[in-house]
């Protein structure tokens, strides 16, 4: 991915985390991960995970905390 | 079916529940109190002669033809203006009445051209009918007296002609403009013999305030106001009831035909969304169906730099299928996807998503709701449990307070706006939250109690400030909240919005709305009675679009404005079937009925019926597809009835994404802007040429009926079916009703829907199932679909799109009345007479600082791109804000909009773009290059001559 494409994923993920960060309780990382699992295609989740593994430049602390909770792509998809 | 002539009871029905008994012509009649004698007579089948009365308008009592005799009453009262009374004895036919009526008709006819045989209204003229009804045989006064027979016709409007020589000055047109449409453009000018219908200040119709809705034409009992098509073609001979293909109001029309030629579209009185009204688009702007630019033959090309080559359907379908197959083999299953159309039918949309999920084997399917109301789906599902508005349109008749947020109904949803204005004229109070001074803020006989002219991008701050006032001033409907909502979540929310940072005083600094205005609006909304919120894309198309929808839902729950008539949360949907497209599973994460693809039980039902394994992971959204294309991972796209190059944000990025693909298949009526990057063009069909259903903004499922053969040869559902079959996933529907049957079997909220039921009932609103066999007009009556209503916190987060020295103005975009979306349809009609280019609205202060005068060419530049268009200097926009539409590809307003989007749904932030405006000499280099590119892209190779 190019820098611009990474930046876009980072921006989107940070936006999502910012919403759940404002919700009451301490489940923001879980809620952020749930949102990403529900609405992001596996390739986008993988790209985000790879970026986080590479240092996660630009990612908010909450996104960084959510990344380990991302679900790997289900393997029961049609071949 | 034969030509439908709807019964006209003369006056509107009475809403009274008390029943009155009277005798008319010796028969006993029971009718609600307040009913007119004329209407009561019609209930027993007696048509009292009339001219100025029609049941869409209040009684007027001017024509003196509907006189009756009533025992115990002096004279001969007009039956239209006389309410029934218990024990009343009425006679509608007596020698005295016959003499009076004949005398009246003699007077009318003495000043009316006797050209019935050559008159356009011959056979459809109430004056002609009444002459017959009263037995007129002679006119004792002759025809040589002073008359209006030489009055000049006004042919300025492209769709209808006003011929004053045929006018009987019954005022039906004037009253229709006032009472039904609410524009008040017409009046009766002069007195006595000099009385005549006048548009605005005796101006031609096109120069007047007339919005060409057609209500006056429909109301006219003679040929004074006649559709140009009727004059040109003649009277229709049969009609078919169908649904308009423009906005999300979903007006029902009679398509009046001669054979397969459409003569006119007439709003159907029994249409439950429009109640017999129409707008300039649905009523008149259907000529695109036969426009010369319509593409009727399939075309393919290897490269987008090649000219198009016309081919057979089988060759085009085979080529598209082979390309998708090749791409998936080379780049993986997820390298292709599809976009469903919000302009096509539910059945067609369902088939496209089925093709993607089952044929392509992935969930890379999306729809134009991505760029309009996707935040509505997320926000209302999260709070209420259902991704749709809560009310039917009729509900507005019970509203005491109407709050319009980020919507411009008089332009975007004009027929519903007319109904809304009717209620406002009856005394409902109005709050408008919009950066622009939209027409509703002040229009004849309607004035907003409060207009909150917020800075673009601050919806959430204003909504939080309203909530702050409601909570801190003790205006919460605690009983409702305790019974219907999660109390703990409410308390969290109440505590958050009560924080001083959310007060109107604190937020004024960035919203720009005076605090006292916010406070008054909040008090009115919370305490003014049944309060309804209507909102549009001015809410959703923001980086906090979903947050704003949630904030709206919070307000309605906190004030108990849900689950009852007159209240509710009502998204005004943009396109005709955008609600349906969402319902049908067009989003990459949801199957039909809003069930997540990871739900094994829900997915299993589809897998069992379709006999195929489905992907349990969400697919790519449109912007994700384009990003992936630029990255090189996404290579093929099937687009049915959308023009993403013109409608989606950041045109340059969209073009880059499309250009990076190896196979783009566009199925449309015209070579649209997206087709400039297409390799296969499959000619689509219009709504007139196929059967199916649309679902409007109030969840109303309505029939679309085929009135003519598809000029391209196939309905869009047939084309998708051919493509699917060529891909190896078999579809074998013989009629769209079979597709609806499948939808019903797979979708719990549609379980009770079938074409047979729709034909029987006219329409139903989902959920329609065993629990609600006739549908659900108002949702959440006794409880929320999700159980307890869910309050969620809505922290205001300023958009990253900031004004600064380079880009000091905020651009917001929208639409105008006469044009629709990307204009593909309306630009190819006479509607261009009203609006033939995108204009930039700019405040006089901003214009003066830049030396811009009305009509000047200006450049509009953002960090994403630059375009040029002409300016219109107006105080409709606030200083610092500019506005334009996106109807014309010559302008390509989305060259300027950016990639910023809603956090939850990626709905683009169309409504906030930092821009600069400067004088220019005309089109930009980009526009010039793009127009040249368009010309090259649309070349069609001429077939080689036969040997």
């Amino acid at each position: 991915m190019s820098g611009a494409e990474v930046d876009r994923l980072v921006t989107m993920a940070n936006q999502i985390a910012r919403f759940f960060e404002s919700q009451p309780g301490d489940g923001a990382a879980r809620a952020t991960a749930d949102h990403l699992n529900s609405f992001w295609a596996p390739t986008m989740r993988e790209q985000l995970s790879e970026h986080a593994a590479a240092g996660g430049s630009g990612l908010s602390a909450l996104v960084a905390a959510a990344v380990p909770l991302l679900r790997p792509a289900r393997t029961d998809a049609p071949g | 079916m034969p030509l439908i002539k709807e019964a006209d009871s003369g006056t509107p029905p009475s809403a009274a529940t008390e029943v009155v008994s009277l005798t008319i012509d010796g028969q006993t009649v029971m009718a609600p109190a307040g009913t007119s004698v004329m209407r009561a007579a019609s209930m027993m089948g007696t048509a009292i002669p009339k001219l100025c009365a029609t049941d869409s308008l209040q009684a007027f009592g001017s024509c003196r033809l509907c006189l009756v005799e009533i025992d115990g009453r002096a004279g001969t009262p007009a039956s239209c203006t006389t309410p029934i009374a218990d024990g009343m004895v009425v006679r509608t036919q007596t020698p005295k009445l016959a003499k009076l009526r004949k005398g009246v008709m003699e007077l009318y006819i003495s000043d009316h051209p006797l050209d019935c045989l050559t008159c356009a209204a011959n056979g459809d003229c109430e004056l002609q009918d009444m002459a017959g009804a009263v037995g007129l045989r002679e006119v004792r006064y002759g025809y040589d007296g002073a008359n209006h027979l030489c009055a000049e016709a006004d042919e300025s409007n492209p769709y209808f002609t006003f011929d004053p020589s045929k006018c009987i000055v019954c005022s039906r047109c004037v009253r229709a403009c006032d009472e039904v449409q609410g524009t008040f453009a017409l009046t009766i000018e002069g007195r006595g013999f000099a009385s005549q219908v006048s548009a605005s200040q005796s101006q031609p119709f096109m120069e007047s305030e007339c919005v060409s809705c057609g209500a006056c034409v429909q109301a006219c009992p003679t040929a004074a106001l006649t559709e140009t098509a009727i004059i040109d073609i003649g009277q229709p001979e049969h009609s078919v009831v169908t649904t308009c293909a423009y906005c999300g109001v979903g007006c029902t029309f009679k398509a009046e035909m001669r054979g397969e030629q459409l003569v006119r579209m007439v709003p159907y009185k029994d249409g439950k969304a429009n109640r017999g009204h129409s707008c300039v688009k649905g009523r008149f702007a259907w000529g695109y169906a036969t426009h010369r630019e319509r593409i009727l033959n399939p075309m393919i090309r290897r490269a987008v730099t090649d000219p198009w080559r016309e081919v057979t359907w089988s060759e085009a379908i085979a080529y598209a299928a082979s390309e998708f197959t090749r791409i998936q083999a080379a780049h993986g299953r997820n390298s292709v996807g599809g976009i469903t159309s919000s302009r096509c039918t539910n059945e067609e949309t369902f088939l496209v998503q089925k093709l993607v999920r089952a044929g392509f084997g992935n969930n890379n399917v999306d729809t134009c709701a991505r760029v309009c109301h996707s935040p509505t789906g997320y926000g209302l599902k999260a709070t209420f449990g259902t991704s749709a508005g809560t009310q039917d349109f009729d509900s507005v008749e019970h509203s005491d307070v109407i709050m319009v947020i980020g919507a411009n109904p008089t332009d975007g949803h004009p027929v519903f706006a007319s109904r809304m204005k009717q209620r406002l004229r009856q005394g409902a109070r109005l709050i408008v939250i919009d950066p622009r001074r939209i027409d509703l803020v002040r229009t004849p006989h309607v004035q907003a109690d409060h207009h909150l002219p917020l800075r673009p991008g601050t919806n959430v701050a204003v909504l939080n400030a309203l909530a702050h006032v409601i909570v801190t001033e003790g205006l919460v409907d605690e009983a409702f909240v305790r019974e219907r909502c999660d109390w703990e979540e409410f308390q969290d929310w109440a505590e958050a919005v009560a924080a001083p940072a959310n007060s109107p005083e604190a937020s004024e600094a960035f919203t720009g709305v005076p605090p006292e205005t916010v406070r008054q609006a909040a008090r009115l909304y919370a305490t003014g009675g049944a309060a309804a919120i209507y909102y549009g894309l001015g809410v959703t198309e923001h980086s906090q679009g979903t947050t704003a929808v949630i904030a709206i839902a919070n307000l309605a729950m906190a004030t108990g404005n849900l689950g009852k008539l007159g209240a509710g949360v009502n998204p005004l949907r943009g396109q005709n079937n955008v609600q349906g497209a969402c319902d049908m599973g067009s989003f990459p994460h949801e199957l039909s009925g809003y069930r997540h693809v990871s739900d094994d039980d829900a997915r299993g039902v589809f897998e069992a019926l379709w006999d195929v394994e489905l992907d349990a992971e969400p697919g790519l959204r449109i912007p994700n597809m384009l990003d992936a294309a630029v990255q090189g991972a996404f290579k093929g796209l099937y687009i049915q009835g959308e023009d993403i190059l013109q409608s989606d944000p950041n045109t340059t990025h969209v073009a880059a994404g499309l250009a990076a693909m190896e196979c783009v298949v566009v199925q449309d009526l015209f070579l649209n802007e997206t087709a400039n990057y297409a390799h296969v063009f499959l000619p689509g069909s219009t709504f007139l040429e196929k059967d199916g259903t649309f679902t409007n903004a109030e969840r109303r499922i309505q029939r679309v009926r085929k009135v003519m053969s598809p000029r391209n040869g196939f309905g869009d559902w047939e084309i998708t079916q051919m493509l699917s079959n060529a891909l190896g996933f078999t579809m074998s529907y013989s009629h769209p009703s079979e597709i609806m049957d499948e939808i019903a079997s797979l979708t719990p909220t549609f379980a009770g829907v079938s074409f047979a039921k729709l034909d029987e009932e006219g329409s139903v609103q989902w959920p329609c199932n065993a629990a609600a066999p006739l549908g659900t007009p108002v949702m959440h009556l006794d409880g929320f679909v999700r159980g307890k209503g869910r309050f969620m916190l809505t922290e205001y987060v300023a958009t990253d799109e900031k004004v600064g020295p380079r880009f000091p103005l905020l651009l917001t975009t929208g639409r105008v009345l006469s044009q629709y979306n990307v204009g593909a349809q309306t630009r190819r009609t006479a509607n261009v007479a009203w609006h033939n280019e995108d204009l930039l609205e700019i405040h006089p202060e901003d214009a003066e600082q830049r030396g811009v005068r009305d009509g000047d060419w200006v450049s509009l530049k953002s960090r994403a791109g630059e375009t040029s268009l002409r300016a219109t200097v107006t105080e409709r926009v606030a200083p610092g804000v500019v506005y334009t539409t996106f109807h014309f590809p010559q302008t390509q307003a989305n060259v300027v909009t950016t990639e910023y989007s809603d956090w939850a749904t990626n709905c683009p932030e169309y409504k906030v773009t930092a821009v600069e405006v400067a004088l220019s000499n005309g089109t930009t280099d980009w526009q010039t290059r793009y127009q040249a590119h368009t010309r090259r892209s649309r070349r069609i190779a001429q077939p080689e001559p036969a040997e």
Side-chain angles (χ1 to χ4, degrees), chain B residues 832-845:
Chain B
V832 292
W834 285 272
H835 189 87
N836 62 1
E837 62 183 321
D838 294 317
L839 296 169
L840 185 79
E841 290 185 2
I842 184 168
H843 189 273
E845 288 178 16

Side-chain angles (χ1 to χ4, degrees), chain B residues 833-895:
Chain B
W834 285 272
H835 189 87
N836 62 1
E837 62 183 321
D838 294 317
L839 296 169
L840 185 79
E841 290 185 2
I842 184 168
H843 189 273
E845 288 178 16
D846 295 320
E848 187 175 351
Q849 286 172 13
R850 291 161 178 80
V852 173
R853 291 169 302 179
D854 208 58
D856 281 346
W857 277 93
V858 292
S859 70
L860 176 69
K861 186 175 185 179
S862 75
R863 62 182 171 79
E866 180 180 10
T867 188
S868 274
L869 67 173
R870 291 196 301 156
T872 181
V873 179
T874 172
E875 291 183 346
R876 278 169 70 94
V877 290
V881 177
V882 292
Y883 169 87
T884 191
T885 52
F886 61 101
H887 301 305
F888 290 85
Q890 300 93 311
T891 311
Q892 291 278 17
N894 283 315
V895 167

Side-chain angles (χ1 to χ4, degrees), chain B residues 47-51 65 93 97-98 101-106 108-109 112 114 116 122-139 221:
Chain B
I48 298 174
K50 64 180 179 60
L51 280 171
L65 205 59
Q93 300 289 350
L97 292 172
R101 288 173 185 154
K102 196 176 286 187
V104 169
M105 281 304 297
E106 280 187 90
Y108 277 121
I109 299 302
H112 195 83
L114 298 177
C116 291
N122 189 15
D124 185 27
C125 174
E126 293 181 41
L127 189 67
Q128 195 178 44
D129 295 344
M130 290 307 104
V134 304
L136 186 70
R137 299 291 176 264
E138 62 173 345
V139 175

Side-chain angles (χ1 to χ4, degrees), chain B residues 714-750:
Chain B
F714 298 101
D716 290 274
W717 62 275
E718 294 173 288
I719 299 166
T720 303
Q721 177 163 285
M722 287 191 285
L723 181 58
S724 185
N725 288 335
L727 284 163
F729 181 72
T730 304
M731 295 183 185
S732 55
Y733 307 100
S734 60
H735 190 270
S737 62
E738 298 169 8
I739 306 172
M740 178 52 82
D741 291 342
E742 180 173 318
I743 294 165
S745 73
L746 291 168
T747 315
T749 47
F750 275 65

